[in-house]
Amino acid sequence: MGSFHLTKMSFKNLVKKPATKMYPVVAPTYTKMTKGHIACDIKTCILCGICEKRCPTYAITVNKPDETWTINRFACIQCYSCVRACPKTCLDMKPDYTKAATEMSTVTIKKPELTAEEKAAKEAAEKEKAERIAKAKAAKDAKDTKAT
Ligand code: SF4
Ligand code: SF4
């Protein structure tokens, strides 16, 4: 490369906008495709544990008795497996990053206490489900008895 080209390049670089940003003074721009962090809508989550089973890095732990959903963000490789597997679509890849940390830690989200109305609705739904199962079982038993 001749000295003419070098001088031309130097002048060009002097006047053109820098290719990098002054982070963290200037906030980064996130696109829809940014693999930021996994978020869980715990209200919709049914604690089925499918995301835990699908996670290739064991980053998720679901504790049904304690009603908690935990993620180790240091282990997550942003592969989307949990997002795709969740039957309630309550997992999402948020296009922004969590704060930098100096120590390894996990994030645990607990299911909120149900309101009186939500509790009543849940009990009614469970009762209705139990009745439906009992009815189907009785019908099957009656069919089996008839057949023998
Ligand atoms: S797969 Fe979805 S519904 Fe099931 S435990 Fe995970 S986040 Fe909750
Ligand atoms: S994005 Fe992949 S690595 Fe991260 S929690 Fe979900 S399944 Fe695990």
Side-chain angles (χ1 to χ4, degrees):
M1 190 185 288
S3 60
F4 171 71
H5 284 294
L6 264 177
T7 319
K8 195 175 151 194
M9 236 166 72
S10 304
F11 274 115
K12 226 171 157 184
N13 283 331
L14 272 176
V15 289
K16 96 173 179 200
K17 268 169 89 178
T20 52
K21 279 186 179 166
M22 287 285 287
Y23 179 83
V25 180
V26 179
T29 33
Y30 300 114
T31 70
K32 265 193 193 163
M33 295 304 287
T34 303
K35 287 183 171 185
H37 70 279
I38 294 287
C40 176
D41 176 11
I42 197 71
K43 272 201 116 179
T44 324
C45 174
I46 52 169
L47 301 163
C48 65
I50 292 175
C51 53
E52 180 180 332
K53 288 187 188 91
R54 292 290 170 85
C55 179
T57 60
Y58 310 107
I60 298 176
T61 311
V62 178
N63 190 325
K64 202 159 184 159
D66 288 352
E67 299 201 315
T68 57
W69 183 93
T70 302
I71 186 163
N72 177 358
R73 299 204 185 281
F74 293 87
C76 176
I77 53 167
Q78 279 92 356
C79 69
Y80 277 94
S81 290
C82 56
V83 178
R84 281 193 296 262
C86 178
K88 301 299 281 180
T89 58
C90 53
L91 291 178
D92 196 13
M93 181 70 78
K94 295 285 174 202
D96 58 340
Y97 304 119
T98 50
K99 274 191 182 160
T102 52
E103 275 177 24
M104 295 278 266
S105 62
T106 55
V107 175
T108 297
I109 316 170
K110 191 169 167 51
K111 256 188 142 7
E113 283 289 320
L114 295 180
T115 61
E117 292 90 49
E118 284 170 338
K119 245 183 215 166
K122 193 181 171 191
E123 277 166 17
E126 273 166 10
K127 197 176 162 204
E128 197 217 331
K129 190 180 168 189
E131 279 170 6
R132 256 189 295 123
I133 292 169
K135 225 173 171 179
K137 201 172 173 290
K140 189 182 175 289
D141 287 348
K143 203 175 159 192
D144 289 349
T145 325
K146 224 175 180 182
T148 53

